[in-house]
Amino acid sequence: MPTIPAGRSPHPAPEPHEHREMAESFGVDAERYDRARPRYPKALIDRTVAACARTAKGPDRAPDHPPRILDVGCGTGIAAQQFAAAGCEVLGVDADARMAELARRHGLPVEVASFEAWDPAGREFDAVVAAQAWHWVDPVAGAAKAARTLRPGGLLAAFWNAGGLPPGLAEAFTEVYERVLPGSLAARQWSASTDDAYAALCAKAADGIREAGAYGEPEEWRFDWEWTYTRDAWLDLLPTTGPHTTLPPERMAEVLSGVGAVVDAVGGCFTMRYTTVAVAAARTDAA
């Protein structure tokens, strides 16, 4: 299995998990987030469930007891619902009460806290997962805490959907953002390399796992897939992404108008190439 070399990430300051305003801004429109955000490939869900199912067996567990999964930064429960549908018992933890409330309406148990402050109260899990959320957690403290909640051999898996726009579309989007929000993070996101950005997140997660000292060597998993967005679906998604959640309404309206015109110009839809990247490591028996 591929492993992630140490020291690939540049460790900028401040770290992503220190951006608390952005980290806790996604609940501003929880319904839109839940509706528009992409899901995760079945192959990732199946591989995670298979890995943690091995630790779900033991003399202290009923033979038919499902794997127990802790979903860190569960949001509205997008990944948690996929794991529950795969037969797992899932508990969510999220710092945003607005997101947690929507997840509960989907039938998921959720506790409101940052992961660093969350109290496991002696509970153990077969896997700790984080979907599009581990960069909001201190990478070393988070890995160490996950180890304390995992059964021996249990899996820590952090994963992200990395999207790639068709040729030419990123440049056209950048022109809109530079006109409306020159020099902003939102403008830079289209000119930056998605591969480099997610490689840095994976490297940082892997470094934190190694420093925590309670796991085997981290592996990198990759799953390629595609999704076609209509103009309306893309404009529904944009306000749920990090650089947009704190924009003033008038600026958001300008962005959506400009981006919508770009999508109209290419026929009203486009296909996004996604790679879901995961960093996964098993807790050692000695942890």
PDB file of all heavy atoms in Angstrom, residues 4-11 134 139-140 143 199-213 217-218 279:
ATOM      1  N   ILE A   4       2.804   7.680   2.976  1.00  0.00           N
ATOM      2  CA  ILE A   4       2.994   9.114   2.790  1.00  0.00           C
ATOM      3  C   ILE A   4       4.322   9.510   3.418  1.00  0.00           C
ATOM      4  O   ILE A   4       4.507   9.360   4.621  1.00  0.00           O
ATOM      5  CB  ILE A   4       1.855   9.915   3.441  1.00  0.00           C
ATOM      6  CG1 ILE A   4       0.487   9.441   2.917  1.00  0.00           C
ATOM      7  CG2 ILE A   4       2.005  11.389   3.147  1.00  0.00           C
ATOM      8  CD1 ILE A   4      -0.190   8.441   3.771  1.00  0.00           C
ATOM      9  N   PRO A   5       5.270   9.996   2.622  1.00  0.00           N
ATOM     10  CA  PRO A   5       6.551  10.396   3.198  1.00  0.00           C
ATOM     11  C   PRO A   5       6.384  11.508   4.221  1.00  0.00           C
ATOM     12  O   PRO A   5       5.474  12.328   4.124  1.00  0.00           O
ATOM     13  CB  PRO A   5       7.350  10.886   1.979  1.00  0.00           C
ATOM     14  CG  PRO A   5       6.674  10.278   0.796  1.00  0.00           C
ATOM     15  CD  PRO A   5       5.233  10.152   1.166  1.00  0.00           C
ATOM     16  N   ALA A   6       7.271  11.545   5.180  1.00  0.00           N
ATOM     17  CA  ALA A   6       7.249  12.621   6.178  1.00  0.00           C
ATOM     18  C   ALA A   6       7.793  13.901   5.554  1.00  0.00           C
ATOM     19  O   ALA A   6       8.583  13.880   4.618  1.00  0.00           O
ATOM     20  CB  ALA A   6       8.103  12.230   7.384  1.00  0.00           C
ATOM     21  N   GLY A   7       7.326  15.029   6.104  1.00  0.00           N
ATOM     22  CA  GLY A   7       7.913  16.314   5.765  1.00  0.00           C
ATOM     23  C   GLY A   7       7.522  16.879   4.417  1.00  0.00           C
ATOM     24  O   GLY A   7       8.181  17.761   3.908  1.00  0.00           O
ATOM     25  N   ARG A   8       6.414  16.400   3.827  1.00  0.00           N
ATOM     26  CA  ARG A   8       5.990  16.943   2.544  1.00  0.00           C
ATOM     27  C   ARG A   8       5.209  18.235   2.686  1.00  0.00           C
ATOM     28  O   ARG A   8       5.081  18.990   1.739  1.00  0.00           O
ATOM     29  CB  ARG A   8       5.120  15.919   1.804  1.00  0.00           C
ATOM     30  CG  ARG A   8       5.928  14.961   0.974  1.00  0.00           C
ATOM     31  CD  ARG A   8       5.120  13.817   0.416  1.00  0.00           C
ATOM     32  NE  ARG A   8       3.801  14.203  -0.068  1.00  0.00           N
ATOM     33  CZ  ARG A   8       2.931  13.313  -0.533  1.00  0.00           C
ATOM     34  NH1 ARG A   8       3.219  12.029  -0.545  1.00  0.00           N
ATOM     35  NH2 ARG A   8       1.748  13.724  -0.964  1.00  0.00           N
ATOM     36  N   SER A   9       4.633  18.475   3.844  1.00  0.00           N
ATOM     37  CA  SER A   9       3.806  19.673   3.997  1.00  0.00           C
ATOM     38  C   SER A   9       4.650  20.851   4.475  1.00  0.00           C
ATOM     39  O   SER A   9       5.615  20.689   5.205  1.00  0.00           O
ATOM     40  CB  SER A   9       2.678  19.405   4.998  1.00  0.00           C
ATOM     41  OG  SER A   9       3.197  19.028   6.244  1.00  0.00           O
ATOM     42  N   PRO A  10       4.307  22.090   4.080  1.00  0.00           N
ATOM     43  CA  PRO A  10       5.135  23.250   4.391  1.00  0.00           C
ATOM     44  C   PRO A  10       4.907  23.829   5.775  1.00  0.00           C
ATOM     45  O   PRO A  10       5.632  24.710   6.192  1.00  0.00           O
ATOM     46  CB  PRO A  10       4.713  24.262   3.316  1.00  0.00           C
ATOM     47  CG  PRO A  10       3.299  23.898   3.008  1.00  0.00           C
ATOM     48  CD  PRO A  10       3.228  22.397   3.133  1.00  0.00           C
ATOM     49  N   HIS A  11       3.870  23.358   6.514  1.00  0.00           N
ATOM     50  CA  HIS A  11       3.573  23.840   7.867  1.00  0.00           C
ATOM     51  C   HIS A  11       3.464  25.370   7.922  1.00  0.00           C
ATOM     52  O   HIS A  11       4.230  26.046   8.607  1.00  0.00           O
ATOM     53  CB  HIS A  11       4.646  23.363   8.856  1.00  0.00           C
ATOM     54  CG  HIS A  11       4.728  21.874   8.928  1.00  0.00           C
ATOM     55  ND1 HIS A  11       3.768  21.092   9.527  1.00  0.00           N
ATOM     56  CD2 HIS A  11       5.653  21.006   8.459  1.00  0.00           C
ATOM     57  CE1 HIS A  11       4.114  19.817   9.435  1.00  0.00           C
ATOM     58  NE2 HIS A  11       5.235  19.742   8.792  1.00  0.00           N
ATOM     59  N   TRP A 134     -10.542  16.666   9.000  1.00  0.00           N
ATOM     60  CA  TRP A 134      -9.386  16.451   9.878  1.00  0.00           C
ATOM     61  C   TRP A 134      -8.454  17.656   9.903  1.00  0.00           C
ATOM     62  O   TRP A 134      -7.731  17.875  10.876  1.00  0.00           O
ATOM     63  CB  TRP A 134      -8.624  15.197   9.462  1.00  0.00           C
ATOM     64  CG  TRP A 134      -7.660  14.691  10.501  1.00  0.00           C
ATOM     65  CD1 TRP A 134      -6.298  14.687  10.428  1.00  0.00           C
ATOM     66  CD2 TRP A 134      -7.993  14.105  11.775  1.00  0.00           C
ATOM     67  NE1 TRP A 134      -5.752  14.126  11.562  1.00  0.00           N
ATOM     68  CE2 TRP A 134      -6.767  13.766  12.407  1.00  0.00           C
ATOM     69  CE3 TRP A 134      -9.188  13.840  12.436  1.00  0.00           C
ATOM     70  CZ2 TRP A 134      -6.716  13.168  13.673  1.00  0.00           C
ATOM     71  CZ3 TRP A 134      -9.137  13.252  13.688  1.00  0.00           C
ATOM     72  CH2 TRP A 134      -7.911  12.922  14.295  1.00  0.00           C
ATOM     73  N   PRO A 139      -3.397  18.060  14.385  1.00  0.00           N
ATOM     74  CA  PRO A 139      -3.057  16.748  13.825  1.00  0.00           C
ATOM     75  C   PRO A 139      -2.406  15.783  14.812  1.00  0.00           C
ATOM     76  O   PRO A 139      -2.603  14.566  14.705  1.00  0.00           O
ATOM     77  CB  PRO A 139      -2.100  17.082  12.676  1.00  0.00           C
ATOM     78  CG  PRO A 139      -1.579  18.451  12.988  1.00  0.00           C
ATOM     79  CD  PRO A 139      -2.672  19.155  13.718  1.00  0.00           C
ATOM     80  N   VAL A 140      -1.637  16.306  15.766  1.00  0.00           N
ATOM     81  CA  VAL A 140      -0.993  15.425  16.746  1.00  0.00           C
ATOM     82  C   VAL A 140      -1.940  15.111  17.900  1.00  0.00           C
ATOM     83  O   VAL A 140      -2.166  13.942  18.247  1.00  0.00           O
ATOM     84  CB  VAL A 140       0.313  16.050  17.278  1.00  0.00           C
ATOM     85  CG1 VAL A 140       0.978  15.120  18.302  1.00  0.00           C
ATOM     86  CG2 VAL A 140       1.274  16.340  16.127  1.00  0.00           C
ATOM     87  N   ALA A 143      -4.748  12.830  16.651  1.00  0.00           N
ATOM     88  CA  ALA A 143      -4.354  11.434  16.465  1.00  0.00           C
ATOM     89  C   ALA A 143      -4.171  10.727  17.806  1.00  0.00           C
ATOM     90  O   ALA A 143      -4.543   9.560  17.965  1.00  0.00           O
ATOM     91  CB  ALA A 143      -3.076  11.359  15.634  1.00  0.00           C
ATOM     92  N   ALA A 199      -2.241  16.943  -1.145  1.00  0.00           N
ATOM     93  CA  ALA A 199      -1.026  16.245  -0.738  1.00  0.00           C
ATOM     94  C   ALA A 199      -0.502  16.826   0.569  1.00  0.00           C
ATOM     95  O   ALA A 199      -0.027  16.096   1.450  1.00  0.00           O
ATOM     96  CB  ALA A 199       0.043  16.344  -1.827  1.00  0.00           C
ATOM     97  N   ALA A 200      -0.596  18.163   0.713  1.00  0.00           N
ATOM     98  CA  ALA A 200      -0.148  18.803   1.951  1.00  0.00           C
ATOM     99  C   ALA A 200      -1.025  18.388   3.128  1.00  0.00           C
ATOM    100  O   ALA A 200      -0.521  18.129   4.234  1.00  0.00           O
ATOM    101  CB  ALA A 200      -0.160  20.326   1.789  1.00  0.00           C
ATOM    102  N   LEU A 201      -2.350  18.319   2.930  1.00  0.00           N
ATOM    103  CA  LEU A 201      -3.238  17.878   4.006  1.00  0.00           C
ATOM    104  C   LEU A 201      -2.924  16.444   4.409  1.00  0.00           C
ATOM    105  O   LEU A 201      -2.893  16.111   5.605  1.00  0.00           O
ATOM    106  CB  LEU A 201      -4.700  17.988   3.562  1.00  0.00           C
ATOM    107  CG  LEU A 201      -5.282  19.381   3.405  1.00  0.00           C
ATOM    108  CD1 LEU A 201      -6.750  19.293   2.988  1.00  0.00           C
ATOM    109  CD2 LEU A 201      -5.163  20.183   4.690  1.00  0.00           C
ATOM    110  N   CYS A 202      -2.707  15.580   3.422  1.00  0.00           N
ATOM    111  CA  CYS A 202      -2.390  14.180   3.727  1.00  0.00           C
ATOM    112  C   CYS A 202      -1.063  14.064   4.468  1.00  0.00           C
ATOM    113  O   CYS A 202      -0.934  13.292   5.429  1.00  0.00           O
ATOM    114  CB  CYS A 202      -2.350  13.359   2.436  1.00  0.00           C
ATOM    115  SG  CYS A 202      -3.966  13.058   1.689  1.00  0.00           S
ATOM    116  N   ALA A 203      -0.070  14.838   4.023  1.00  0.00           N
ATOM    117  CA  ALA A 203       1.235  14.793   4.677  1.00  0.00           C
ATOM    118  C   ALA A 203       1.148  15.265   6.116  1.00  0.00           C
ATOM    119  O   ALA A 203       1.770  14.683   7.021  1.00  0.00           O
ATOM    120  CB  ALA A 203       2.235  15.649   3.899  1.00  0.00           C
ATOM    121  N   LYS A 204       0.380  16.332   6.344  1.00  0.00           N
ATOM    122  CA  LYS A 204       0.232  16.852   7.699  1.00  0.00           C
ATOM    123  C   LYS A 204      -0.475  15.829   8.595  1.00  0.00           C
ATOM    124  O   LYS A 204      -0.094  15.616   9.747  1.00  0.00           O
ATOM    125  CB  LYS A 204      -0.529  18.166   7.683  1.00  0.00           C
ATOM    126  CG  LYS A 204      -0.461  18.928   9.006  1.00  0.00           C
ATOM    127  CD  LYS A 204      -1.157  20.271   8.907  1.00  0.00           C
ATOM    128  CE  LYS A 204      -0.444  21.188   7.946  1.00  0.00           C
ATOM    129  NZ  LYS A 204       0.920  21.538   8.414  1.00  0.00           N
ATOM    130  N   ALA A 205      -1.526  15.190   8.064  1.00  0.00           N
ATOM    131  CA  ALA A 205      -2.227  14.171   8.833  1.00  0.00           C
ATOM    132  C   ALA A 205      -1.307  13.000   9.149  1.00  0.00           C
ATOM    133  O   ALA A 205      -1.281  12.492  10.282  1.00  0.00           O
ATOM    134  CB  ALA A 205      -3.455  13.692   8.066  1.00  0.00           C
ATOM    135  N   ALA A 206      -0.525  12.566   8.156  1.00  0.00           N
ATOM    136  CA  ALA A 206       0.383  11.443   8.369  1.00  0.00           C
ATOM    137  C   ALA A 206       1.474  11.787   9.382  1.00  0.00           C
ATOM    138  O   ALA A 206       1.828  10.970  10.245  1.00  0.00           O
ATOM    139  CB  ALA A 206       1.020  11.016   7.040  1.00  0.00           C
ATOM    140  N   ASP A 207       2.011  13.013   9.299  1.00  0.00           N
ATOM    141  CA  ASP A 207       3.020  13.442  10.271  1.00  0.00           C
ATOM    142  C   ASP A 207       2.451  13.438  11.681  1.00  0.00           C
ATOM    143  O   ASP A 207       3.114  13.035  12.644  1.00  0.00           O
ATOM    144  CB  ASP A 207       3.524  14.844   9.927  1.00  0.00           C
ATOM    145  CG  ASP A 207       4.431  14.867   8.704  1.00  0.00           C
ATOM    146  OD1 ASP A 207       4.863  13.788   8.272  1.00  0.00           O
ATOM    147  OD2 ASP A 207       4.692  15.972   8.184  1.00  0.00           O
ATOM    148  N   GLY A 208       1.190  13.896  11.842  1.00  0.00           N
ATOM    149  CA  GLY A 208       0.562  13.899  13.159  1.00  0.00           C
ATOM    150  C   GLY A 208       0.368  12.498  13.697  1.00  0.00           C
ATOM    151  O   GLY A 208       0.573  12.245  14.898  1.00  0.00           O
ATOM    152  N   ILE A 209      -0.009  11.579  12.828  1.00  0.00           N
ATOM    153  CA  ILE A 209      -0.189  10.179  13.234  1.00  0.00           C
ATOM    154  C   ILE A 209       1.145   9.598  13.696  1.00  0.00           C
ATOM    155  O   ILE A 209       1.225   8.922  14.724  1.00  0.00           O
ATOM    156  CB  ILE A 209      -0.784   9.370  12.073  1.00  0.00           C
ATOM    157  CG1 ILE A 209      -2.256   9.766  11.868  1.00  0.00           C
ATOM    158  CG2 ILE A 209      -0.656   7.876  12.319  1.00  0.00           C
ATOM    159  CD1 ILE A 209      -2.864   9.241  10.579  1.00  0.00           C
ATOM    160  N   ARG A 210       2.200   9.860  12.929  1.00  0.00           N
ATOM    161  CA  ARG A 210       3.518   9.352  13.323  1.00  0.00           C
ATOM    162  C   ARG A 210       3.956   9.936  14.662  1.00  0.00           C
ATOM    163  O   ARG A 210       4.483   9.225  15.533  1.00  0.00           O
ATOM    164  CB  ARG A 210       4.550   9.687  12.247  1.00  0.00           C
ATOM    165  CG  ARG A 210       4.348   8.972  10.928  1.00  0.00           C
ATOM    166  CD  ARG A 210       5.500   9.261   9.971  1.00  0.00           C
ATOM    167  NE  ARG A 210       5.282   8.643   8.667  1.00  0.00           N
ATOM    168  CZ  ARG A 210       4.859   9.290   7.583  1.00  0.00           C
ATOM    169  NH1 ARG A 210       4.621  10.597   7.656  1.00  0.00           N
ATOM    170  NH2 ARG A 210       4.688   8.663   6.449  1.00  0.00           N
ATOM    171  N   GLU A 211       3.744  11.248  14.838  1.00  0.00           N
ATOM    172  CA  GLU A 211       4.189  11.890  16.074  1.00  0.00           C
ATOM    173  C   GLU A 211       3.397  11.406  17.276  1.00  0.00           C
ATOM    174  O   GLU A 211       3.935  11.338  18.396  1.00  0.00           O
ATOM    175  CB  GLU A 211       4.071  13.415  15.946  1.00  0.00           C
ATOM    176  CG  GLU A 211       4.757  14.166  17.076  1.00  0.00           C
ATOM    177  CD  GLU A 211       4.860  15.651  16.824  1.00  0.00           C
ATOM    178  OE1 GLU A 211       4.795  16.061  15.642  1.00  0.00           O
ATOM    179  OE2 GLU A 211       5.009  16.410  17.806  1.00  0.00           O
ATOM    180  N   ALA A 212       2.143  11.042  17.065  1.00  0.00           N
ATOM    181  CA  ALA A 212       1.337  10.518  18.172  1.00  0.00           C
ATOM    182  C   ALA A 212       1.905   9.195  18.690  1.00  0.00           C
ATOM    183  O   ALA A 212       1.726   8.861  19.865  1.00  0.00           O
ATOM    184  CB  ALA A 212      -0.114  10.352  17.730  1.00  0.00           C
ATOM    185  N   GLY A 213       2.559   8.450  17.802  1.00  0.00           N
ATOM    186  CA  GLY A 213       3.296   7.264  18.240  1.00  0.00           C
ATOM    187  C   GLY A 213       2.457   6.078  18.647  1.00  0.00           C
ATOM    188  O   GLY A 213       2.937   5.201  19.362  1.00  0.00           O
ATOM    189  N   GLU A 217       2.488   2.416  10.321  1.00  0.00           N
ATOM    190  CA  GLU A 217       2.801   3.421   9.301  1.00  0.00           C
ATOM    191  C   GLU A 217       1.541   3.806   8.526  1.00  0.00           C
ATOM    192  O   GLU A 217       0.791   2.942   8.053  1.00  0.00           O
ATOM    193  CB  GLU A 217       3.851   2.876   8.338  1.00  0.00           C
ATOM    194  CG  GLU A 217       4.252   3.811   7.213  1.00  0.00           C
ATOM    195  CD  GLU A 217       4.875   5.112   7.706  1.00  0.00           C
ATOM    196  OE1 GLU A 217       5.341   5.181   8.863  1.00  0.00           O
ATOM    197  OE2 GLU A 217       4.901   6.078   6.918  1.00  0.00           O
ATOM    198  N   PRO A 218       1.266   5.117   8.386  1.00  0.00           N
ATOM    199  CA  PRO A 218       0.075   5.553   7.648  1.00  0.00           C
ATOM    200  C   PRO A 218       0.148   5.159   6.172  1.00  0.00           C
ATOM    201  O   PRO A 218       1.215   5.173   5.553  1.00  0.00           O
ATOM    202  CB  PRO A 218       0.091   7.076   7.789  1.00  0.00           C
ATOM    203  CG  PRO A 218       1.025   7.365   8.916  1.00  0.00           C
ATOM    204  CD  PRO A 218       2.007   6.254   8.964  1.00  0.00           C
ATOM    205  N   VAL A 279      -5.929   9.184   4.375  1.00  0.00           N
ATOM    206  CA  VAL A 279      -4.779   8.749   5.156  1.00  0.00           C
ATOM    207  C   VAL A 279      -5.342   7.818   6.228  1.00  0.00           C
ATOM    208  O   VAL A 279      -6.241   8.190   6.973  1.00  0.00           O
ATOM    209  CB  VAL A 279      -4.066   9.946   5.820  1.00  0.00           C
ATOM    210  CG1 VAL A 279      -2.926   9.458   6.712  1.00  0.00           C
ATOM    211  CG2 VAL A 279      -3.533  10.893   4.761  1.00  0.00           C
TER     212      VAL A 279
END
